[in-house]
Amino acid sequence: MRVLQVGAEVFPLVKTGGLADVLGALPQALMGAGADVRLLLPGLPAIVDAVLHQKVVRDIGPAFGAARITLRLGQMPYSHVPVYVIDAPYLYRRGGSPYQDAKGAEWADNVQRFALLGWTAAHLAAGELDPSWLPDVMHAHDWHAAMSCAYMTAHPPTQAAPVFTVHNLAYQGLFPPGDFHLLGLPSRYMAATGLEFHGQLSFMKAGLKFARRVTTVSPTYATEIATHEFGFGLDGVIRGRGGDVRGILNGVDGKVWDPEHDVGLLARYTAKDLSGKARGKQTLQAELGLEQRADVPLFCVVSRLTSQKGLDLVLGALPGLLRQGGQLGLQGTGDAALETAFQAAAQANPGRVAVRIGYDEAFAHRLIGGADAILVPSRFEPCGLTQLYGLRYGTLPVVRRVGGLADTVVDAGDDNPANTGFAFDAATPAALEHALQRAIHAFRQPERWHRLMQRAMAQDFSWDGAARQYLTLYEEIVAPDVERAARPLLQTA
Ligand code: ADP
Ligand code: GLC
C-alpha cells in the first residue's frame, strides 16, 4: 500500500498545534504496519533547511504566482520518512507562522500558497511529477491540503484514492469568490455542489465533497460535526456524506512523549517508581516561582489560548481552585485578552498562579511531567493531545466531555475503578469548579490518587492502533490489481 500524506506542518520542524504531532507520527506508524509512505510538505524555511538528502525530482516551472517551483525528495530528520518538499521561494520562504504573518494577519496569498500544495499532491498522485512512485492513496490533512481532492477529481483518471482528515472544522480556508480564477479549475466547481460556501470559496469543502472517505480525529467528533452545534455551517455537507465519515482517534508518539525516556525531564519516572515525578514537581514549582509544596495539587494548562479551548472557564473557576488550596501553572499563547487576563491572575496570586506566555516545547514537557493534573475544558475538541500526554505522564486530566476528550478520559462517577480523570458537561465555570473540587478531594487521598495515576499511565494510546484503522480504511477504497501508469504533466494554473 503506497500512501502519500499531505499537510502544512510537521513535528519537529514546523508546529502550531496537534496537526504537526499527527503528521510527525502517523507516517512512521503506517510504515511500521508495512505501508510505503511519503510525506508532501510546503517548502517553509524550517522544512527546506532541515530535510535531509534533498534531490530535485521535477522542475515544475511557474505556477500560482511563483516564478520558479521545484519538487524535491528527501528524508525527514530523525525519522527518515521520505518527504517531498515543494520549493517555491516566493510563496513559502518567509518568516512568521505557516498561515499568518508576524502580526497575526492571514498571509494575503494563502489561496495560492495552499492551492499549490493541493495541486502538487494531485499531480504526484497521478504519477506526473515522480513517475517512479505512484501512490494508491492520497491522504490530505485539514483545509491546507484539501484542494488536492478537488484537483484529483477535476483531472481524471487518477487511480489513487483521495482521503481527507478534518483536524478542526473551525478553520476552513475561506476566500473571496473572486479568487476562484486563481485555482485553474472548471467554473462548475464554484457551485454549492463544489467549493462554494455561502458565496465564498471554501478549501475545506473541497476535502469534504471530493474525498472518497472523510475522517476526523475521534469517533465522538465524527458524530458531533454532523450536528448544527459543532458543524460550523458544514454539518449538512457532512451529513450528506453518510457512512463515508469515520472517526479514528489520534495516538501518542511514544518516542517524544514518554516519562521513562523523556530527556526534557530532570528526573524520569515510571508507573512503578514515581519518585522522579515528585522531584519534577518540586523543581517545576521552583522554576515557576510557586510555593514548593508536595501536598498542594498543582494544575497545569498547555494550550493555544483561543475560545475553542474554554480557558475563560479556568479564569472563572480560578478563585474556587485557589480557595481549595490548588496551584495553577499555565503555558500558552494566542488571544491577547486571554493572555492579559492570565497574566493579571498570576500577578494577583504570587506563589500560587504562574503564567508563561509563549510557545516552548521543552517547557511543555516539564510542565506536564511535574504537574498533578492537566486542565482541558474545551468548548469543542476534535481529539486533543495534551490530555493524552497527561494520561501517559500520570498527570490526571480534568476535561469537558466533548469530542476526543470524551473518548479518551474515563470518569464514570466517584470511585469507579475504571476512572482515569475528571470530566464535566456544561461549559460553565461552576461545572468546571465542581470537577476541580472532585479532583482536589481525590488528591487529598494519596492512595486513591495513586491508583488513578497508575490506571491513567496504563492506558494504551499508541499510534499502532490508529495506523491499523487507517490501513483498513485505505484498503476499502483501493481497487485491487489496477494497472498504474504515469501520465504527462498537466497544464499548470
Ligand atoms: P490543538 O491542535 O487544537 O492546539 P492539541 O491538544 O491537539 O490541540 O495539540 C496541541 C499541541 O501543541 C500539543 O503537542 C501541545 O503540547 C502543544 N502546545 C500547545 N500550546 C503550546 C505552548 N504554548 N507551548 C508548547 N507547546 C504547546
Ligand atoms: C486540531 C484539533 C485537536 C487535534 C489536533 C490533531 O488542532 O484542535 O483537537 O488533537 O488537530 O488532530
Side-chain angles (χ1 to χ4, degrees):
M1 174 75 65
R2 286 179 170 174
V3 188
L4 181 66
Q5 297 282 341
V6 190
E9 50 183 276
V10 65
F11 179 84
L13 306 183
V14 177
K15 170 166 166 177
T16 72
L19 173 64
D21 291 356
V22 173
L23 281 164
L26 175 61
Q28 296 182 67
L30 288 168
M31 286 164 81
D36 177 0
V37 185
R38 294 188 180 181
L39 265 166
L40 171 67
L41 300 169
L44 303 167
I47 290 172
V48 173
D49 290 350
V51 168
L52 307 170
H53 317 305
Q54 293 177 47
K55 287 198 186 70
V56 173
V57 292
R58 186 81 185 209
D59 260 322
I60 296 177
F64 297 104
R68 184 177 65 75
I69 301 172
T70 318
L71 186 70
R72 308 223 195 100
L73 178 61
Q75 279 181 358
M76 282 291 289
Y78 312 111
S79 69
H80 301 287
V81 170
V83 51
Y84 292 103
V85 178
I86 309 168
D87 190 22
Y90 177 76
L91 293 171
Y92 295 142
R93 285 219 213 152
R94 46 178 88 159
S97 98
Y99 321 114
Q100 296 160 341
D101 65 19
K103 290 193 185 122
E106 302 294 306
W107 293 112
D109 54 356
N110 270 352
V111 70
Q112 286 119 321
R113 297 174 73 237
F114 294 107
L116 173 62
L117 181 61
W119 182 94
T120 310
H123 290 252
L124 255 174
E128 294 168 357
L129 301 178
D130 183 359
S132 70
W133 194 79
L134 286 168
D136 301 294
V137 171
M138 190 288 308
H139 186 163
H141 296 265
D142 262 354
W143 74 263
H144 326 113
M147 281 302 296
S148 52
C149 303
Y151 285 118
M152 281 174 73
T153 319
H155 298 300
T158 298
Q159 283 150 353
V163 173
F164 178 58
T165 295
V166 178
H167 291 264
N168 195 332
L169 206 59
Y171 303 98
Q172 302 186 352
L174 293 176
F175 300 98
D179 284 354
F180 179 76
H181 75 278
L182 298 168
L183 302 179
L185 281 171
S187 58
R188 65 173 188 281
Y189 277 79
M190 193 54 190
T193 48
L195 312 184
E196 190 267 331
F197 180 68
H198 298 291
Q200 287 184 289
L201 165 61
S202 164
F203 275 27
M204 178 68 92
K205 252 189 100 182
L208 297 178
K209 280 283 189 192
F210 299 115
R212 205 76 77 73
R213 289 285 186 279
V214 175
T215 77
T216 186
V217 285
S218 70
T220 293
Y221 194 61
T223 54
E224 286 172 347
I225 55 176
T227 67
H228 177 69
E229 186 186 354
F230 292 97
F232 286 95
L234 287 166
D235 41 299
V237 177
I238 286 156
R239 284 194 299 276
R241 293 301 310 254
D244 290 348
V245 182
R246 309 272 171 85
I248 299 179
L249 200 63
N250 288 332
V252 172
D253 187 343
K255 289 201 284 303
V256 182
W257 293 95
D258 176 6
E260 193 176 352
H261 300 106
D262 191 332
V263 287
L265 298 183
L266 207 69
R268 283 162 280 287
Y269 59 91
T270 60
K272 275 210 189 89
D273 179 3
L274 288 161
S275 54
K277 184 164 176 73
R279 285 211 296 288
K281 176 174 176 180
Q282 209 179 18
T283 345
L284 176 68
Q285 285 173 320
E287 185 178 0
L288 285 172
L290 296 170
E291 289 166 28
Q292 278 179 266
R293 288 184 48 183
D295 62 330
V296 160
L298 169 54
F299 293 85
C300 77
V301 171
V302 176
S303 186
R304 292 186 290 116
L305 304 182
T306 66
S307 62
Q308 169 189 348
K309 300 294 179 180
L311 296 168
D312 50 313
L313 305 181
V314 174
L315 286 167
L318 189 57
L321 186 154
L322 296 175
R323 255 196 321 275
Q324 293 170 72
Q327 295 179 339
L328 176 69
L330 174 141
Q331 159 87 30
T333 174
D335 293 354
L338 283 169
E339 290 185 354
T340 311
F342 276 109
Q343 278 168 323
Q347 262 171 10
N349 300 285
R352 309 189 62 196
V353 177
V355 167
R356 285 207 174 176
I357 300 302
Y359 195 93
D360 182 342
E361 193 76 35
F363 185 64
H365 284 245
R366 292 206 294 287
L367 186 52
I368 293 177
D372 296 299
I374 183 161
L375 307 184
V376 196
S378 308
R379 293 211 143 66
F380 66 93
E381 196 61 73
C383 176
L385 293 172
T386 57
Q387 86 282 9
L388 296 180
Y389 303 153
L391 289 169
R392 181 121 190 190
Y393 281 64
T395 306
L396 299 180
V398 179
V399 303
R400 183 155 174 255
R401 215 177 257 113
V402 286
L405 301 171
D407 292 341
T408 54
V409 177
V410 181
D411 179 357
D414 282 335
D415 294 326
N416 189 300
N419 286 355
T420 59
F422 304 87
F424 63 100
D425 292 295
T428 61
L432 170 58
E433 199 177 321
H434 182 63
L436 290 171
Q437 266 167 17
R438 292 176 54 225
I440 292 172
H441 184 65
F443 180 82
R444 304 242 186 261
Q445 301 163 261
E447 272 181 29
R448 181 172 161 209
W449 191 262
H450 191 79
R451 275 199 307 277
L452 279 163
M453 287 171 85
Q454 302 274 336
R455 218 170 294 129
M457 293 177 82
Q459 303 301 302
D460 178 15
F461 288 107
S462 77
W463 268 105
D464 300 344
R468 276 195 300 275
Q469 291 182 61
Y470 280 115
L471 281 176
T472 306
L473 178 126
Y474 300 155
E475 275 153 14
E476 277 172 29
I477 52 176
V478 169
D481 304 326
V482 177
E483 275 282 310
R484 299 194 191 289
R487 294 184 300 131
L489 188 66
L490 290 167
Q491 207 76 60
T492 64

